[in-house]
């Protein structure tokens, strides 16, 4: 086996030109339905831009050159596309099982001989039945926008709405931030992200951990300090980044201890600690680890669970060290909660839900979620939180000695979030269909009154969000450009008109392809991950570690024996044990709630379609890639219930002779730039 690794990802340039081979794209090209017509994408003459393979990392380039010689350009570039998709989805904190599913679909569609192994951080790609192996270390980060965009790019290529060159170019442009709104670029990286840290920390301290408004102010300061520490260490780079967790903890403990010491000891230390470190706990990993264990990925799930536990302990120790710098007895300060914590009864406060929404909005900022879609994410977060909160409150009185109230609240909270996210996605996608059908010219003639109304609502929303400077400028550009494209199409289809093609500039092509990508369905996991983050028990294991560092006081029990009163002293350890049990109950119940929620959505949709006969006769009588395979693919990209293995063993069941006989390439540009101008063709031939 030839092992190829390149941790430094060095870029290389090569003088040799890539042969422009005429190959077929076996992907599905969007066919117009009974009421639809060919979209403007199929009428435009593209310039035939090519992805520069010289920008690939050295390891990918070497494999690409070998595959290009053996199988041609399309096969080689598709392999590179799959590797890049897997890396970026993993980096964006997309679930490993679901990342494997989209790669499996591309593999099956284009007959790519590749398998993969996704660990917590280490990724392996086995190309050409293991002839080449590429290994990467990819630390994960929360990035809902990239999680959604890279999935949409993969789906567009899979469904034939983009060529492989267009898909790779769009990936590169996405990585460079060219398809992110200016508001998103501001909070995507430092120093703009420093705005989000104090807001998330302060709101969490009050809404989750029993702090009051004084603690809110202190936690905002410690939150800003934690973000500043991370920013400086990331700026330094190298081994300095290894100190982020411990120094964030030290700064938090140090600042909180100063306020406790010099403000008459009126500070709720646990609320400040847990609120500030809430972002650093990676509590979502506990639930994802349980999901992976349930789904058969035992090694990845267990390693993820243990890795996050160690990370949380490092944060806790750092906080304790920061307290020691200021206080002579940090333990007493941490346990001083009787008069300092829980002074606000959230049940009686009208601002409980608005404060939670503010906390959720700041979490979305940390997740780099696009601001234009905040209304969707906030509604899902609120439903999950409120169901969990109300069930917990209703069952708490009847279950004081067990965790059944926690388990039920978490299961139904996660289920409600999944079901509501699915319903919300269906409603939004159904209503925005009219806008995308109009601007992409996928529908001929006028819509119904409802359709015209929904088109106008979406168009006005784009204009309003751009006026407030948090929308994507390209959305507004394409909205204005669609009128010109409509006129040019009418001229092109008019036999008496002299127009022979619809030619766009390079910038206009990019805007058109962005509109095609945005028309794809939103990745539902981009909605659910922030919601899950707000429901998960990251703080529970932190409480356990703080109890290890600062053991609760000993219990004193007085008993009379034979008329003499004795004092029995015993360690008060049940609280620590119960925190660990509560962590497991919460993580497992949330994982089960997600699984059950998707089962309810899947089979509930089937039942509703049968009851109301929503499937048309065409859908029921045909078995093509457009109505059968694509529906299964779409479902499996969201649900765990279809497959539990990363690779489908049946996909490699055909013989080698059958594989080569089934692969019948033609010009992959067909359907996209079959109208390439003669001058561009001459330039391609000359190159």
């Amino acid at each position: 086996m030839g092992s190829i690794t390149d941790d430094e990802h060095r870029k290389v340039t090569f003088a040799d030109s890539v042969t422009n081979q005429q190959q077929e794209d076996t992907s599905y090209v969007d066919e117009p339905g009974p009421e639809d017509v060919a979209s403007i994408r199929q009428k435009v003459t593209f310039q035939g831009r090519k992805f520069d393979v010289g920008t690939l990392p050295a390891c990918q380039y070497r494999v690409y050159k070998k595959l290009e010689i053996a199988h041609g350009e399309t096969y080689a570039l598709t392999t590179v596309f799959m590797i890049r998709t897997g890396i970026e989805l993993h980096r964006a904190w997309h679930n490993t099982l679901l990342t494997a599913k989209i790669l499996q679909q591309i593999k099956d569609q284009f007959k790519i001989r590749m398998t993969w192994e996704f660990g917590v951080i280490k990724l392996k790609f086995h190309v050409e039945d293991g002839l080449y192996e590429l290994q990467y270390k990819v630390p994960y980060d929360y990035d809902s926008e990239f999680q959604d965009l890279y999935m949409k790019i993969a789906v567009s290529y899979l469904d034939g709405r983009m060529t492989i060159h267009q898909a790779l170019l769009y990936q590169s442009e996405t990585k460079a931030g060219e398809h992110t709104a200016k508001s998103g670029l501001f909070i995507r990286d430092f120093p703009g992200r420093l705005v989000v840290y104090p807001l998330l920390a302060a709101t969490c301290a009050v809404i989750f951990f029993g702090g009051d408004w004084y603690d809110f102010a202190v936690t905002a300061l410690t939150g800003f300090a934690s973000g500043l520490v991370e920013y400086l260490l990331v700026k330094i780079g190298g081994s300095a980044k290894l100190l982020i967790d411990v120094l964030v903890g030290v700064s938090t403990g140090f600042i909180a201890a100063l306020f406790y010491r010099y403000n008459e000891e009126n500070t709720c230390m646990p609320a400040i600690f847990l609120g500030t470190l809430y972002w650093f706990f990676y509590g979502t990993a506990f639930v994802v680890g349980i999901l992976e264990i349930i789904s058969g990925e035992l090694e990845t799930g267990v390693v993820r669970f243990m890795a996050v536990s160690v990370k949380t302990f490092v944060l806790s120790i750092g906080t304790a060290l920061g307290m020691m710098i200021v206080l002579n007895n940090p333990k007493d300060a941490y346990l001083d909660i009787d008069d300092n914590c829980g002074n606000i009864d959230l049940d009686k406060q009208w601002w409980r839900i608005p404060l939670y929404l503010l906390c959720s909005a700041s979490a979305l900022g940390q997740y780099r979620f696009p601001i234009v879609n905040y209304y969707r994410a906030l509604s899902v977060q609120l439903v999950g939180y409120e169901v969990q909160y109300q069930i917990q409150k209703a069952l708490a009185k009847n279950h004081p000695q067990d965790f059944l109230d926690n388990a039920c609240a978490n299961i139904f909270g996660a289920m409600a979030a999944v079901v509501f996210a699915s319903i919300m996605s269906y409603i939004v996608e159904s209503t925005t269909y009219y806008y995308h059908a109009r601007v992409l010219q996928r529908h001929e003639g006028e819509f119904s009154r409802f359709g015209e109304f929904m088109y106008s609502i979406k168009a006005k929303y784009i204009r309003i969000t751009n006026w407030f400077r948090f929308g994507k400028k390209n959305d507004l550009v394409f909205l204005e450009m669609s009128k010109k494209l409509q006129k040019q199409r009418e001229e092109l289809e008019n036999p008496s008109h002299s127009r022979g093609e619809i030619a766009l500039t390079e910038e206009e092509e990019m805007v058109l392809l962005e509109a095609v990508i945005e028309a794809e369905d939103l990745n539902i996991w981009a909605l659910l991950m922030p919601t899950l983050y707000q429901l998960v028990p990251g703080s529970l294991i932190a409480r356990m570690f703080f109890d290890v560092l600062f053991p609760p006081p000993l219990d004193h029990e007085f008993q009379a024996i034979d008329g003499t009163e004795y004092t029995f002293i015993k360690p008060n350890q049940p609280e620590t044990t119960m925190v660990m049990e509560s962590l497991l109950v919460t993580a497992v119940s949330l994982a089960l709630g997600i699984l059950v929620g998707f089962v309810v959505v899947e089979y509930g949709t089937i039942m509703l379609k049968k009851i109301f006969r929503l499937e048309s006769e065409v859908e029921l009588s045909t078995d093509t890639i457009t109505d059968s395979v694509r529906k299964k693919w779409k479902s499996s990209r969201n649900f765990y219930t279809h497959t539990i293995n990363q690779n489908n063993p049946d996909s490699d069941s055909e013989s080698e002779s059958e594989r080569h006989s089934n692969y019948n390439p033609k010009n992959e540009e067909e359907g996209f730039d079959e109208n390439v101008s003669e001058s561009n063709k001459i330039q391609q031939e000359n190159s």
Side-chain angles (χ1 to χ4, degrees):
M1 177 189 298
S3 181
I4 299 178
T5 62
D6 185 24
D7 291 339
E8 296 180 357
H9 285 249
R10 294 166 298 187
K11 294 184 178 180
V12 295
T13 58
F14 292 83
D16 1 7
S17 60
V18 179
T19 305
N20 182 21
Q21 301 183 6
Q22 300 296 317
Q23 294 187 329
E24 271 189 30
D25 187 355
T26 57
S27 62
Y28 163 70
V29 177
D30 196 14
E31 299 177 355
E35 298 180 357
D36 294 330
V37 295
S39 69
I40 187 62
R41 170 183 56 80
Q42 295 168 299
K43 297 293 183 179
V44 167
T45 299
F46 287 85
Q47 297 184 21
R49 295 171 60 204
K50 297 293 183 179
F51 174 73
D52 183 8
V53 295
T55 61
L56 291 173
C59 59
Q60 293 182 21
Y61 185 87
R62 292 194 293 268
V63 173
Y64 162 79
K65 293 298 290 183
K66 297 289 186 181
L67 297 179
E68 184 198 23
I69 295 172
H71 302 288
E73 182 186 51
T74 301
Y75 185 98
L77 288 178
T78 301
T79 301
V80 171
F81 176 78
M82 291 176 63
I83 294 172
R84 285 158 59 107
T85 300
I87 290 174
E88 294 305 327
L89 283 178
H90 186 84
R91 192 194 311 278
W93 206 195
H94 194 59
N95 188 275
T96 53
L97 295 169
L98 301 179
T99 300
K101 286 181 180 180
I102 184 62
L103 295 187
Q104 183 67 45
Q105 291 171 8
I106 300 174
K107 170 185 173 180
D108 293 342
Q109 175 77 347
F110 297 98
K111 312 299 182 185
I112 305 297
R113 288 193 289 268
M114 183 171 73
T115 58
W116 46 83
E117 299 176 39
F118 290 159
V120 177
I121 293 178
K122 195 170 185 179
L123 310 184
K124 296 181 182 179
F125 296 92
H126 308 284
V127 184
E128 291 297 281
D129 300 323
L131 181 61
Y132 311 107
E133 179 181 284
L134 290 91
Q135 301 182 12
Y136 299 90
K137 287 185 178 180
V138 184
Y140 50 83
D141 193 8
Y142 292 116
D143 197 334
S144 287
E145 183 180 33
F146 278 13
Q147 184 183 10
D148 180 46
L149 282 178
Y150 276 90
M151 179 64 76
K152 285 181 175 180
I153 297 169
V155 172
S156 293
Y157 176 56
L158 184 66
D159 289 347
R161 298 189 179 94
M162 302 180 79
T163 68
I164 185 59
H165 285 280
Q166 290 170 338
L168 288 168
L169 285 169
Y170 199 93
Q171 282 187 336
S172 299
E173 293 167 355
T174 298
K175 188 75 173 176
E178 296 180 24
H179 299 289
T180 299
K182 288 185 177 180
S183 58
L185 292 175
F186 177 75
I187 61 175
R188 170 159 289 281
D189 207 348
F190 293 108
R193 291 180 68 78
L194 290 175
V195 177
V196 184
Y197 281 79
L199 186 60
L200 178 64
T203 51
C204 285
V206 176
I207 201 69
F208 292 135
F209 305 120
D212 54 23
W213 294 115
Y214 169 77
D215 301 317
F216 180 96
V218 176
T219 310
L221 179 60
T222 56
F224 179 79
S226 68
L228 191 60
V229 168
E230 183 177 9
Y231 174 38
L232 293 176
L233 294 178
V234 169
K235 194 76 172 177
I236 296 172
S239 58
K241 293 190 290 186
L242 300 176
L243 300 175
I244 289 178
D245 290 336
V246 64
L247 292 185
V248 162
V250 169
S251 67
T252 301
F254 179 79
I255 296 174
L258 286 176
F259 280 92
Y260 179 84
R261 179 175 179 177
Y262 295 106
N263 191 46
E264 300 178 355
E265 301 182 353
N266 293 326
T267 306
C268 181
M269 304 293 276
I272 296 174
F273 294 163
L274 298 177
T276 304
L277 304 180
Y278 189 75
W279 171 247
F280 297 90
F281 286 148
Y282 283 102
T284 313
F286 291 110
V287 180
V288 173
I290 296 295
L291 280 173
E292 290 169 336
I293 293 172
I294 294 175
S295 301
E297 296 296 328
L298 300 179
E299 182 178 353
T300 304
V302 172
V303 171
R304 190 185 304 278
F305 201 94
M306 293 303 300
V308 180
S309 299
V310 173
K311 175 184 173 69
T312 305
F313 199 18
V314 171
L315 288 164
S316 303
I317 290 180
T319 306
L321 293 176
M323 295 176 67
M324 288 181 61
I325 299 174
V326 178
L327 302 174
N328 294 325
N329 195 340
K331 176 182 175 181
D332 291 343
Y334 179 80
L335 297 177
D336 187 12
I337 61 175
D338 291 338
D339 297 326
N340 295 332
C341 301
N343 295 325
I344 298 178
D345 186 357
L346 293 177
D347 289 336
K348 299 179 181 179
Q349 306 300 327
W350 64 268
W351 43 260
R352 176 177 64 87
I353 291 180
L355 183 63
Y356 175 79
L357 291 176
L358 181 61
C359 178
S360 298
S362 57
L364 293 176
Q366 290 283 41
Y367 261 87
R368 302 176 174 92
F369 197 87
I371 297 179
V372 292
N373 290 323
Y374 267 28
Y375 70 97
R376 298 177 65 172
L378 287 175
S379 60
V380 175
Q381 288 175 310
L382 179 60
V383 168
Y385 163 74
E386 197 61 20
V387 170
Q388 183 191 53
Y389 183 86
Q390 296 298 337
I391 292 180
Q392 175 81 39
K393 187 173 68 171
L395 298 179
K397 295 181 180 179
N398 298 328
H399 299 274
Q401 302 297 326
D402 56 50
F403 296 103
L404 291 178
D405 53 340
N406 290 340
C408 291
N410 292 324
I411 289 175
F412 284 102
M415 283 178 57
V418 171
V419 173
F420 185 78
S422 302
I423 295 174
M424 187 75 173
S425 296
Y426 175 78
I427 294 174
V428 173
E429 290 158 10
S430 299
T431 53
T432 56
Y433 158 80
Y434 299 99
Y435 172 80
H436 295 303
R438 173 65 56 79
V439 297
L440 293 173
Q441 301 179 27
R442 294 175 176 174
H443 183 92
E444 192 172 27
E446 297 292 326
F447 295 122
S448 62
R449 290 184 177 180
F450 176 77
E452 293 293 337
F453 175 73
M454 297 312 302
Y455 165 78
S456 63
I457 290 294
K458 177 65 175 179
K460 290 178 181 177
Y461 184 70
I462 290 175
R463 297 182 188 279
I464 292 173
T465 54
N466 273 270
W467 189 83
F468 281 105
R469 306 296 183 184
F470 62 82
K472 294 174 69 173
K473 183 180 179 180
N474 283 350
D475 291 344
L476 183 60
V477 171
F478 187 73
L479 178 60
E480 301 295 339
M481 194 174 77
S482 62
K483 300 176 183 178
K484 181 185 75 171
L485 292 176
Q486 178 65 42
K487 182 180 179 181
Q488 291 180 347
R489 177 171 183 168
E490 293 173 356
E491 295 173 352
L492 180 66
E493 296 177 347
N494 185 356
S496 60
H497 199 278
S498 60
R499 178 175 291 278
E501 65 178 12
I502 300 177
L504 301 178
T505 65
E506 184 175 311
E507 292 75 14
E508 289 174 334
E509 283 187 12
M510 183 182 71
V511 172
L512 172 59
L513 291 177
E514 183 171 338
V516 173
I517 292 291
E518 290 298 325
E520 298 288 349
D521 297 341
L522 180 70
N523 182 0
I524 193 172
W525 278 93
L527 284 174
L528 288 177
M529 288 300 284
T531 303
L532 188 62
Y533 172 79
Q534 292 290 82
L535 299 175
V536 293
S539 60
L540 290 178
I541 197 168
R543 289 180 185 272
M544 180 185 71
F545 288 139
F546 276 121
D547 284 344
V548 171
L549 294 171
F550 306 122
L554 299 175
D555 280 346
H556 294 74
E557 184 178 345
F558 300 96
Q559 291 185 8
I561 300 177
D562 296 333
T564 303
E565 197 172 78
Y566 295 90
T567 301
F568 292 87
I569 301 176
K570 58 181 180 179
N572 185 6
Q573 294 300 327
E575 290 188 14
T576 302
T577 306
M578 291 180 66
V579 169
M580 186 59 185
E581 293 170 351
S582 179
L583 168 68
L584 294 175
V585 169
T586 305
V588 172
S589 57
L590 284 172
L592 291 177
I594 292 172
L595 293 175
V596 174
F598 275 114
V599 171
V600 170
V601 170
E602 182 178 5
Y603 290 98
T605 302
I606 295 174
M607 292 180 60
L608 289 175
K609 285 185 175 181
K610 290 184 177 180
I611 293 173
F612 296 101
R613 298 179 180 179
L614 297 179
E615 293 181 322
S616 64
E617 295 181 359
V618 175
E619 290 175 327
L620 294 173
S621 60
T622 60
D623 188 23
T624 65
I625 195 173
T626 59
D627 54 38
S628 177
V629 177
R630 290 177 70 229
K631 288 181 180 178
K632 293 179 181 178
W633 282 354
K634 180 179 178 180
S635 297
S636 67
R637 288 194 290 265
N638 296 331
F639 303 153
Y640 287 92
T641 54
H642 289 261
T643 60
I644 61 173
N645 293 323
Q646 289 184 347
N647 297 299
N648 178 10
D650 294 334
S651 65
D652 291 330
S653 60
E654 61 182 357
S655 65
E656 189 67 17
S657 60
E658 290 174 335
R659 179 183 300 277
H660 284 289
S661 64
N662 291 336
Y663 186 72
N664 182 27
K666 66 176 183 179
N667 179 19
E668 75 162 312
E669 305 295 334
E670 183 176 347
F672 300 92
D673 43 350
E674 57 186 353
N675 303 319
V676 175
S677 62
E678 193 65 27
S679 61
N680 284 334
K681 289 183 179 179
I682 294 174
Q683 292 176 7
Q684 292 175 7
E685 291 174 358
N686 292 336
S687 65

